[in-house]
């Protein structure tokens, strides 16, 4: 049994009856209306509780929570720069390790979290994250993926989906918008031998919270890729954030899964998938796409999902695994 | 009891950091800094030092990890130089503004291009505006002592700034010298444990690194500037107490044979030893030459430096970096000296020489040439911002 499976063998998840009341991120922050990212952050922090050290990259979740002299953080929090949250958390985790061992402090259960947006993770912070994952620090990295540089005004990142119009991948006579396919960050995390990797969505809060909790229980690194709808950047209604997150899962655009010690588990099977066009329709970042382009994206989405399902063959053999059942049961609630 | 041993200066620097009970070392290898971090990792591997050695994937992450570690409340050390410093420089500003007393040894090396692994002060000057305390060693003993003092200075609650200990790459870092390594018990007496008031602690949550809007940024910068300005007496206090305990006394500016000197050379770092030899030779010839060495570059000890040079007719300021200002502006050390002289009624004439770039030797003959050149020069009213010495045309 791998270290993650071992750590999670007696895992008891959250359900609607035992949701924590704690709110480590206070209300009154300055996020845009309808922000799906701060919703996901709130859910994650409820699952983590207060014995945490948070290391933030520059980005939306940094500026909206820390305009001096205000702070939305009720837990220790540090922001240093854009590309280095994973390195900063490496240092904090190492400091606690040394100070606990030397008897300077007694905080053996503190959880260390680095987080950033997709630009801070998949682009500028990739090296620092790779280093921290490879060195095996006991930390969680959370990527809040809103699929572009929203804080600076909706510029494309390597996590922007194919076909999406952003301010630096505009649609035009000679452009369909983003011309490259979304970088697969969870796969990159898995390739590092990361003991726990999962994708989460704020439209499935119990699933998200359980995955965050599991990540905190696993010794060594854990990577969470968290879908974070951005009405401002996606140009959809502010009341449609959660619906966009749900449709992304239902259309197979953003499948929910876990990778525990390298074994893939589908958190939610999409038996009757909705077409990607249904997910695209409310979002004006996709409105320029022709039927041909949509069909191309649909084909790619189907193929990627099949590839993922194929990796989940372990599911049948390990059906008795409690974490897998937990995911499906809780998520299906 | 302290002991005197023959030891490579880099190894001694690592030993000194070890004597300070560092909790975390996060570092990335770069020539000529490597022996420092190699030895620290050995000390950790052999169990001689109870610390976490974080072998990061870049200097950028080295300083990032140091910031995380220091903010968590751990005594934190790193080392770099040159390109490595340039890569981490973004974070160096932040470390100072977050008031984290990280100690970093910089084995000074030239900046590219052309790529060059040898000694000059390009990295030292690159760092000058970051808000770090910058001290510069002349010899191996100073490297040992300054490393220990750096923790004491930086961690003083009246200071709370990171400290850069500069040692010339190769010409100092790779020398084997007879050095006095202090006793651990004495270091413990000199350096109290690091227990910051604020740190990343779930029992007392604080926010580090908040956003500073235009309504607060200037005030934050002014507060940092005031604190940095006010750190000078505490730096001197750390030196005084070290002197009382260990018998080796340090101050921001050192002078050598400046009494009655008509010409004073201003230098920094290990070439000052050659400069002293040259001064001796010139004094023997009856030339009234002295030397002033800047040990503390940031905060800049303006009063002490002015006091050291005010009696001279000429000062020769050495810069070990090219600053590409277009030819009419002096090098960075000369600029500092000029700025403290400008408002004084009577002050010496200043000549600025660029020397010792990228490992070029600076010999006793070079010092004599500079002094002779200054003695022979006629004031024709045409200002000369700086001159290269020992360069092929």
């Amino acid at each position: 049994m791998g270290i993650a499976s071992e750590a999670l063998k007696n895992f008891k998840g959250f359900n609607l009856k035992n949701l924590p009341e704690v709110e480590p991120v206070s209300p009154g922050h300055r996020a845009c209306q309808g922000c799906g990212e701060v919703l996901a952050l709130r859910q994650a922090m409820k699952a983590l509780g207060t014995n945490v050290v948070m290391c933030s990259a520059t980005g939306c979740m940094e500026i909206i929570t820390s305009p001096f002299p205000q702070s939305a953080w009720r837990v220790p929090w540090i922001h240093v720069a854009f590309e280095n949250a994973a390195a900063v958390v490496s240092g904090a985790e190492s400091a606690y390790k040394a100070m606990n061992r030397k008897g300077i402090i007694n905080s053996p259960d503190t959880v260390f979290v680095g987080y950033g947006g997709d630009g801070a993770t998949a682009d500028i912070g990739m090296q620092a994250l790779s280093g921290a994952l490879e060195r095996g620090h006991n930390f969680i990295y959370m990527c809040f993926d809103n699929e572009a540089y929203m804080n600076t005004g909706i510029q494309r990142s390597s996590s922007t989906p194919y076909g999406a119009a952003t301010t630096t991948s505009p649609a035009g006579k000679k452009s369909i918008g983003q011309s490259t396919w979304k970088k697969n960050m969870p796969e990159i995390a898995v390739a590092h031998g990361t003991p726990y990797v999962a994708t989460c969505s704020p439209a499935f809060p119990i699933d998200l919270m359980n995955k965050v909790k599991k990540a905190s229980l696993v010794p060594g690194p854990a990577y969470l890729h968290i879908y974070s709808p951005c009405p401002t950047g996606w140009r959809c209604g502010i009341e449609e954030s959660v619906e966009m997150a749900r449709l992304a899962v239902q259309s197979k655009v953003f499948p929910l899964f876990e990778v525990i010690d390298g074994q893939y588990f589908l958190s939610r099977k999409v038996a009757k998938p909705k077409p990607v066009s249904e997910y695209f329709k409310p979002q004006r970042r996709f409105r320029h796409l022709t039927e041909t382009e949509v069909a191309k994206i649909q084909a790619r989405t189907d193929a990627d999902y099949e590839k993922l399902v194929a990796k989940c063959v372990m599911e049948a053999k390990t059906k008795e695994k409690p974490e897998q059942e937990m995911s499906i049961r809780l998520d299906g609630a | 009891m302290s002991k005197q041993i023959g030891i490579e200066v880099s190894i001694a620097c690592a030993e000194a950091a070890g004597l300070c009970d560092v909790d975390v070392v996060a570092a990335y290898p770069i020539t000529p800094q490597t022996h420092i971090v190699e030895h620290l990792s050995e000390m950790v591997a052999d169990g001689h030092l109870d610390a976490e050695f974080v072998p990061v994937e870049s200097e950028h992450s080295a300083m990032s990890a140091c910031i995380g570690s220091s903010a968590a409340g751990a005594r934190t050390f790193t080392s770099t130089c040159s390109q490595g410093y340039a890569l981490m420089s973004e974070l160096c500003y932040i470390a100072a503004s977050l008031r984290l007393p990280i100690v970093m040894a910089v084995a000074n090396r030239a900046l590219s291009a052309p790529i060059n692994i040898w000694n000059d002060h390009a990295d030292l000057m690159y760092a000058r505006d970051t808000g770090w305390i910058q001290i510069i060693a002349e010899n191996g003993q100073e490297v040992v002592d300054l490393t220990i003092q750096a923790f004491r200075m930086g961690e003083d609650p009246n200071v709370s700034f990171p400290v850069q200990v500069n040692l010339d790459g190769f010409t100092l870092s790779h020398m084997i010298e007879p050095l006095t390594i202090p006793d651990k018990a004495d270091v413990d007496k000199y350096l109290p444990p690091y227990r910051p008031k604020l740190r990343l602690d779930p029992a007392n949550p604080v926010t580090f690194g908040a956003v500073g809007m235009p309504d607060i940024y200037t005030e934050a910068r002014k507060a940092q500037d005031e604190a940095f300005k006010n750190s000078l007496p505490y730096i001197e206090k750390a030196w005084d107490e070290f002197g009382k305990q260990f018998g080796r006394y340090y101050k921001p500016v050192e002078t050598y044979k400046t009494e009655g000197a008509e010409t004073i050379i201003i230098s920094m770092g290990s070439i000052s030893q050659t400069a002293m030899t040259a001064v001796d030779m010139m004094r023997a010839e009856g030339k009234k030459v002295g030397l002033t060495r800047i040990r503390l570059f940031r905060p800049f000890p303006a009063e002490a430096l002015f006091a050291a040079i005010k009696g001279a007719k000429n000062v020769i300021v050495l810069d070990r970096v090219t600053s590409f200002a277009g030819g009419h502006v002096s090098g960075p050390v000369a600029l500092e000296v000029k700025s403290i002289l400008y408002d004084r009624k009577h002050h010496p004439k200043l000549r600025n020489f660029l020397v010792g770039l990228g490992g070029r030797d600076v010999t006793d003959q070079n010092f004599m040439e500079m002094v002779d050149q200054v003695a022979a020069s006629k004031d024709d009213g045409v200002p000369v911002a700086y001159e290269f010495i020992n360069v092929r045309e």
Side-chain angles (χ1 to χ4, degrees), chain A residues 167-215:
Chain A
T167 54
T168 53
S169 63
K173 274 183 191 164
K174 295 183 177 178
S175 164
I176 57 128
Q178 175 88 337
S179 61
T180 52
W181 297 94
K182 185 181 176 79
K183 190 184 275 184
N184 192 335
M185 275 308 299
E187 282 291 324
I188 290 168
V190 170
H192 282 76
T194 308
Y196 186 80
V197 176
T199 60
C200 329
S201 164
F204 301 89
I206 304 286
D207 179 65
L208 183 149
M209 289 174 66
N210 280 328
K211 284 169 174 170
V212 171
K213 187 71 190 169
K214 285 181 187 177

Coordinates of all heavy atoms in Angstrom, one line a residue, chain A residues 167-215:
Chain A
T167 N -7.9 38.6 -23.9 CA -7.4 39.8 -24.4 C -6.0 39.7 -25.2 O -5.6 40.6 -25.9 CB -7.2 40.9 -23.3 OG1 -6.4 40.3 -22.3 CG2 -8.6 41.3 -22.7
T168 N -5.4 38.5 -24.9 CA -4.1 38.3 -25.7 C -4.3 37.1 -26.7 O -3.3 36.7 -27.3 CB -2.9 38.1 -24.8 OG1 -3.2 37.1 -23.9 CG2 -2.5 39.4 -24.1
S169 N -5.5 36.5 -26.7 CA -5.8 35.5 -27.7 C -7.2 35.8 -28.3 O -8.1 35.1 -28.2 CB -5.8 34.1 -27.1 OG -6.8 33.9 -26.1
P170 N -7.2 37.0 -28.8 CA -8.6 37.5 -29.3 C -9.0 36.7 -30.5 O -8.2 36.2 -31.3 CB -8.3 39.0 -29.6 CG -6.9 39.1 -29.9 CD -6.2 38.0 -29.1
A171 N -10.3 36.6 -30.6 CA -10.9 36.0 -31.8 C -10.9 37.1 -32.9 O -11.1 38.3 -32.6 CB -12.3 35.5 -31.6
G172 N -10.5 36.7 -34.1 CA -10.5 37.7 -35.2 C -10.6 37.0 -36.5 O -10.7 35.8 -36.6
K173 N -10.5 37.8 -37.6 CA -10.6 37.2 -38.9 C -9.6 36.0 -39.1 O -9.9 35.1 -39.8 CB -10.3 38.2 -40.0 CG -11.6 39.0 -40.4 CD -11.3 40.0 -41.5 CE -12.5 40.9 -41.6 NZ -12.1 42.1 -42.4
K174 N -8.4 36.2 -38.5 CA -7.4 35.2 -38.7 C -7.1 34.4 -37.4 O -6.0 33.8 -37.2 CB -6.1 35.8 -39.2 CG -6.3 36.4 -40.6 CD -5.0 37.0 -41.1 CE -5.2 37.5 -42.5 NZ -4.0 38.1 -43.0
S175 N -8.0 34.5 -36.4 CA -7.8 33.8 -35.2 C -9.1 33.2 -34.6 O -10.1 33.9 -34.7 CB -7.2 34.8 -34.2 OG -7.3 34.3 -32.8
I176 N -9.0 32.0 -34.1 CA -10.1 31.4 -33.5 C -10.1 31.6 -31.9 O -10.9 31.0 -31.2 CB -10.3 29.9 -33.7 CG1 -9.0 29.2 -33.3 CG2 -10.5 29.6 -35.2 CD1 -9.2 28.1 -32.4
G177 N -9.2 32.5 -31.5 CA -9.0 32.7 -30.1 C -7.8 31.9 -29.7 O -6.9 31.7 -30.5
Q178 N -7.8 31.3 -28.5 CA -6.7 30.5 -28.0 C -6.4 29.3 -29.1 O -7.4 28.6 -29.4 CB -7.0 29.9 -26.7 CG -6.0 28.9 -26.1 CD -4.9 29.6 -25.4 OE1 -4.6 30.8 -25.6 NE2 -4.2 28.9 -24.5
S179 N -5.2 29.2 -29.5 CA -4.9 28.3 -30.6 C -4.3 27.0 -30.1 O -3.9 26.2 -30.9 CB -4.1 28.9 -31.7 OG -2.8 29.3 -31.1
T180 N -4.1 26.9 -28.8 CA -3.4 25.7 -28.2 C -4.4 25.0 -27.2 O -5.3 25.7 -26.7 CB -2.1 26.2 -27.5 OG1 -2.5 27.2 -26.6 CG2 -1.1 26.7 -28.4
W181 N -4.1 23.8 -27.0 CA -4.9 23.0 -26.1 C -4.4 23.2 -24.6 O -3.2 23.3 -24.4 CB -4.9 21.5 -26.5 CG -5.5 21.3 -27.8 CD1 -4.8 21.3 -29.0 CD2 -6.9 21.2 -28.1 NE1 -5.7 21.1 -30.1 CE2 -7.0 21.1 -29.5 CE3 -8.1 21.2 -27.4 CZ2 -8.2 20.9 -30.2 CZ3 -9.3 21.1 -28.0 CH2 -9.4 20.9 -29.4
K182 N -5.3 23.2 -23.7 CA -5.1 23.4 -22.3 C -4.0 22.5 -21.8 O -4.0 21.3 -22.0 CB -6.4 23.2 -21.5 CG -6.4 23.5 -20.1 CD -7.7 23.1 -19.5 CE -7.8 23.3 -18.0 NZ -7.9 24.7 -17.6
K183 N -3.0 23.1 -21.1 CA -2.0 22.3 -20.4 C -2.6 21.4 -19.4 O -3.4 21.8 -18.6 CB -0.9 23.2 -19.8 CG 0.3 22.5 -19.3 CD 1.3 23.5 -18.6 CE 2.2 24.2 -19.6 NZ 3.2 25.1 -18.9
N184 N -2.1 20.2 -19.3 CA -2.7 19.2 -18.4 C -1.9 19.1 -17.1 O -1.0 18.3 -16.9 CB -2.7 17.8 -19.1 CG -3.5 16.8 -18.3 OD1 -3.7 17.0 -17.1 ND2 -4.0 15.8 -19.0
M185 N -2.2 20.1 -16.2 CA -1.4 20.2 -15.0 C -1.6 18.9 -14.0 O -0.6 18.5 -13.5 CB -1.8 21.4 -14.2 CG -1.1 22.7 -14.6 SD 0.7 22.6 -14.6 CE 1.0 22.2 -12.9
P186 N -2.8 18.4 -13.9 CA -2.8 17.2 -13.0 C -1.9 16.1 -13.5 O -1.2 15.4 -12.7 CB -4.3 16.8 -13.1 CG -5.0 18.0 -13.4 CD -4.1 18.8 -14.3
E187 N -1.8 15.9 -14.8 CA -0.9 14.8 -15.3 C 0.5 15.1 -15.0 O 1.3 14.3 -14.7 CB -1.1 14.7 -16.8 CG -2.3 14.0 -17.3 CD -2.2 12.5 -17.0 OE1 -1.1 11.9 -17.0 OE2 -3.3 11.9 -16.6
I188 N 0.9 16.4 -15.1 CA 2.3 16.8 -14.7 C 2.6 16.6 -13.3 O 3.6 16.1 -12.9 CB 2.5 18.3 -15.1 CG1 2.4 18.5 -16.7 CG2 3.8 18.9 -14.6 CD1 2.3 19.9 -17.2
A189 N 1.6 16.8 -12.4 CA 1.8 16.6 -11.0 C 1.9 15.1 -10.8 O 2.8 14.6 -10.0 CB 0.6 17.1 -10.2
V190 N 1.1 14.3 -11.5 CA 1.2 12.8 -11.3 C 2.6 12.3 -11.8 O 3.2 11.5 -11.1 CB 0.1 12.1 -12.2 CG1 0.3 10.6 -12.2 CG2 -1.3 12.4 -11.6
A191 N 3.1 12.9 -12.8 CA 4.4 12.5 -13.4 C 5.5 12.7 -12.4 O 6.6 12.1 -12.5 CB 4.7 13.2 -14.7
H192 N 5.3 13.6 -11.4 CA 6.3 13.8 -10.4 C 6.2 12.7 -9.3 O 7.0 12.8 -8.3 CB 6.1 15.2 -9.7 CG 6.6 16.3 -10.5 ND1 5.9 16.8 -11.6 CD2 7.7 17.1 -10.4 CE1 6.6 17.8 -12.1 NE2 7.7 18.0 -11.4
G193 N 5.3 11.8 -9.4 CA 5.2 10.8 -8.4 C 4.5 11.3 -7.2 O 4.6 10.8 -6.0
T194 N 3.7 12.4 -7.3 CA 3.0 13.0 -6.2 C 2.0 12.0 -5.7 O 1.1 11.5 -6.4 CB 2.2 14.3 -6.8 OG1 3.2 15.1 -7.4 CG2 1.6 15.1 -5.6
P195 N 2.0 11.8 -4.3 CA 1.2 10.7 -3.8 C -0.3 11.0 -3.9 O -1.1 10.0 -4.0 CB 1.5 10.7 -2.3 CG 2.8 11.5 -2.1 CD 2.9 12.3 -3.3
Y196 N -0.7 12.2 -3.9 CA -2.2 12.5 -4.0 C -2.4 13.7 -5.0 O -1.9 14.8 -4.8 CB -2.8 12.8 -2.7 CG -4.3 13.0 -2.7 CD1 -5.1 11.9 -2.7 CD2 -4.9 14.2 -2.8 CE1 -6.5 12.0 -2.8 CE2 -6.3 14.4 -2.9 CZ -7.1 13.3 -2.9 OH -8.4 13.4 -3.0
V197 N -3.2 13.4 -6.0 CA -3.5 14.4 -7.0 C -5.0 14.3 -7.2 O -5.6 13.2 -7.3 CB -2.8 14.2 -8.4 CG1 -3.2 15.2 -9.4 CG2 -1.3 14.3 -8.2
A198 N -5.7 15.4 -7.3 CA -7.2 15.4 -7.6 C -7.6 16.6 -8.3 O -7.0 17.7 -8.2 CB -7.9 15.2 -6.2
T199 N -8.7 16.5 -9.0 CA -9.4 17.6 -9.6 C -10.7 17.9 -8.8 O -11.3 16.9 -8.3 CB -9.7 17.4 -11.0 OG1 -10.6 16.3 -11.2 CG2 -8.5 17.2 -11.9
C200 N -11.0 19.1 -8.6 CA -12.2 19.5 -7.8 C -13.0 20.6 -8.5 O -12.4 21.4 -9.3 CB -11.8 20.0 -6.4 SG -10.3 19.3 -5.7
S201 N -14.2 20.8 -8.0 CA -15.0 21.8 -8.6 C -15.9 22.4 -7.5 O -16.5 21.6 -6.7 CB -15.9 21.3 -9.7 OG -17.0 22.1 -10.0
P202 N -16.1 23.7 -7.4 CA -17.0 24.2 -6.4 C -18.4 23.9 -6.6 O -19.2 24.1 -5.7 CB -16.7 25.8 -6.5 CG -16.2 26.0 -7.9 CD -15.5 24.7 -8.2
A203 N -18.8 23.3 -7.8 CA -20.2 22.9 -8.0 C -20.4 21.6 -7.2 O -21.6 21.2 -7.1 CB -20.5 22.7 -9.4
F204 N -19.4 21.0 -6.8 CA -19.5 19.7 -6.0 C -18.7 19.9 -4.7 O -17.6 19.3 -4.5 CB -18.9 18.5 -6.8 CG -19.6 18.4 -8.2 CD1 -19.2 19.1 -9.3 CD2 -20.7 17.6 -8.3 CE1 -19.9 19.0 -10.5 CE2 -21.4 17.5 -9.5 CZ -21.0 18.2 -10.6
P205 N -19.3 20.7 -3.8 CA -18.6 21.1 -2.6 C -18.1 20.0 -1.7 O -17.0 20.1 -1.1 CB -19.5 22.1 -1.9 CG -20.9 21.8 -2.5 CD -20.7 21.3 -3.9
I206 N -19.0 19.0 -1.5 CA -18.6 17.9 -0.6 C -17.4 17.2 -1.1 O -16.4 16.9 -0.4 CB -19.7 16.9 -0.3 CG1 -21.0 17.7 0.2 CG2 -19.3 15.8 0.6 CD1 -20.9 18.2 1.6
D207 N -17.4 16.9 -2.4 CA -16.3 16.3 -3.1 C -15.1 17.1 -3.0 O -14.0 16.6 -2.6 CB -16.7 16.0 -4.6 CG -15.6 15.4 -5.3 OD1 -15.2 14.2 -5.1 OD2 -15.0 16.0 -6.3
L208 N -15.2 18.4 -3.2 CA -14.0 19.3 -3.1 C -13.5 19.3 -1.7 O -12.2 19.1 -1.5 CB -14.4 20.7 -3.5 CG -13.3 21.8 -3.5 CD1 -13.6 22.9 -4.6 CD2 -13.1 22.5 -2.2
M209 N -14.3 19.4 -0.7 CA -13.9 19.5 0.7 C -13.2 18.1 1.1 O -12.2 18.1 1.8 CB -15.0 19.8 1.6 CG -15.4 21.3 1.5 SD -16.9 21.7 2.4 CE -16.3 21.5 4.1
N210 N -13.7 17.0 0.7 CA -13.1 15.8 1.0 C -11.7 15.6 0.4 O -10.8 15.1 1.0 CB -14.0 14.6 0.6 CG -15.2 14.4 1.6 OD1 -15.0 14.6 2.8 ND2 -16.3 14.0 1.1
K211 N -11.6 16.1 -0.9 CA -10.3 16.0 -1.5 C -9.3 16.9 -0.8 O -8.1 16.5 -0.7 CB -10.5 16.3 -3.0 CG -11.1 15.2 -3.8 CD -11.5 15.6 -5.2 CE -12.0 14.4 -6.0 NZ -12.6 14.8 -7.3
V212 N -9.7 18.0 -0.4 CA -8.8 18.9 0.3 C -8.4 18.3 1.6 O -7.2 18.3 2.0 CB -9.5 20.3 0.6 CG1 -8.6 21.2 1.5 CG2 -9.7 21.0 -0.7
K213 N -9.4 17.7 2.3 CA -9.1 17.0 3.6 C -8.1 15.9 3.4 O -7.1 15.7 4.1 CB -10.4 16.5 4.2 CG -10.2 16.0 5.6 CD -9.9 17.1 6.6 CE -9.6 16.5 8.0 NZ -9.0 17.6 8.9
K214 N -8.4 15.1 2.4 CA -7.5 14.0 2.1 C -6.1 14.5 1.8 O -5.1 13.9 2.2 CB -8.0 13.2 0.8 CG -9.2 12.3 1.1 CD -9.6 11.6 -0.2 CE -10.9 10.8 0.0 NZ -11.2 10.2 -1.3
A215 N -6.0 15.5 1.0 CA -4.7 16.1 0.6 C -3.9 16.5 1.9 O -2.7 16.3 2.0 CB -4.8 17.3 -0.3

